[in-house]
């Protein structure tokens, strides 16, 4: 009985973390707000759908607890002190992130097909401007699709529970960061443009049919689904946050 609490509590912790970011780290955090993209008010619908999806996450946490106790997963608990075994720990984390990155991109494209968008994904896109509570403000069916990754991974590949835990914490952090309306990575070197930004998903809520990815910008580049203004818009945002000179 671990995941039943771990999954929803991690999600709500990151929501509250970004909700209270200026109180936690000082009012200078407000300089990181993406102009015009962060909503100042959370709607009743965003609270309600978030609460429903935290229940969905609890359900999938319980399912994972069951799968684990029934020994239906590939979780392993003992780490041998051999090179192969030690190197597999970070390798399995990167592999998990890569699998989820592809899963997220494809499932998100699927949610943007006419039928799925009309009846399911439209609720998420009613948050046109975003804040942390918009993250899990989606139809519970979308909640099932998104959170199912915590069960798929240990069913698919051998994974240590600590690595799975790190993956879950990071995945939920990145999800809320993308909806927070704060751009925390404006000082990053251009070499890191291979990774997505909060601005990237803020544009997704602004324009709709663009910017589908979560971690890597690779899939949006490969399938030419980045919004035409993404790169220039991000450059301007960097200059805005870092001061008129910008940081190269
Ligand atoms: Zn979408
Ligand atoms: Zn979103």
């Amino acid at each position: 009985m671990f995941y039943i609490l771990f999954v929803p509590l991690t999600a709500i912790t990151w929501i509250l973390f970004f909700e209270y970011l200026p109180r936690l780290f000082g009012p200078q955090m407000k300089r990181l707000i993406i102009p015009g993209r962060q909503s100042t008010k959370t709607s009743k619908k965003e609270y309600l759908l978030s609460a429903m999806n935290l229940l969905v996450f609890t359900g999938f946490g319980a399912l994972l607890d069951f799968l684990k106790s029934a020994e239906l997963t590939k979780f392993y608990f003992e780490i041998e002190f051999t090179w192969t075994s030690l190197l597999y720990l970070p390798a399995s984390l990167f592999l998990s992130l890569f699998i989820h990155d592809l899963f997220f991109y494809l499932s998100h494209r699927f949610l943007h097909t006419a039928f799925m968008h009309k009846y399911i994904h439209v609720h998420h896109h009613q948050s046109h401007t975003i804040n942390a509570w918009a993250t899990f403000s989606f139809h519970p069916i979308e909640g099932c699709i998104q959170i199912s990754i915590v069960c798929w991974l240990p069913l698919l590949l051998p994974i240590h529970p600590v690595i799975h835990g790190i993956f879950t914490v990071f995945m939920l952090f990145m999800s809320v960061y993308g909806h927070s309306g704060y751009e925390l990575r404006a000082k990053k070197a251009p070499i890191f443009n291979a990774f997505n930004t909060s601005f990237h998903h803020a544009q997704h809520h602004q324009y709709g049919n663009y910017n589908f990815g979560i971690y890597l910008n690779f899939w949006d580049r490969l399938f030419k689904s980045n919004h035409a203004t993404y790169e220039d818009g991000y450059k301007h945002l960097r200059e805005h946050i870092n001061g008129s000179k910008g940081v190269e």
Side-chain angles (χ1 to χ4, degrees), residues 104 108 121 124-125 130 134-135 138 178-179 201 204-205:
F104 185 90
H108 198 181
H121 196 47
H124 186 58
H125 276 276
I130 46 180
T135 313
F138 38 53
H179 293 86
H201 198 71
H204 179 69
H205 280 260

Side-chain angles (χ1 to χ4, degrees), residues 96-163:
S96 300
L97 290 168
F98 184 82
I99 291 169
H100 180 235
D101 204 37
L102 180 59
F103 173 81
F104 185 90
Y105 184 87
L106 294 176
S107 61
H108 198 181
R109 292 296 304 247
F110 172 63
L111 287 164
H112 274 261
T113 55
F115 179 86
M116 291 302 285
H117 196 280
K118 186 174 176 187
Y119 295 104
I120 307 291
H121 196 47
V122 65
H123 298 285
H124 186 58
H125 276 276
Q126 281 171 351
S127 301
H128 189 63
T129 50
I130 46 180
N131 65 36
W133 287 97
T135 313
F136 307 118
S137 174
F138 38 53
H139 193 292
I141 289 179
E142 182 171 345
C144 293
I145 295 171
Q146 300 297 1
I147 205 63
S148 68
I149 191 69
V150 299
C151 295
W152 287 124
L153 286 175
L155 288 172
L156 282 171
L157 73 152
I159 189 164
H160 192 279
V162 170
I163 298 299

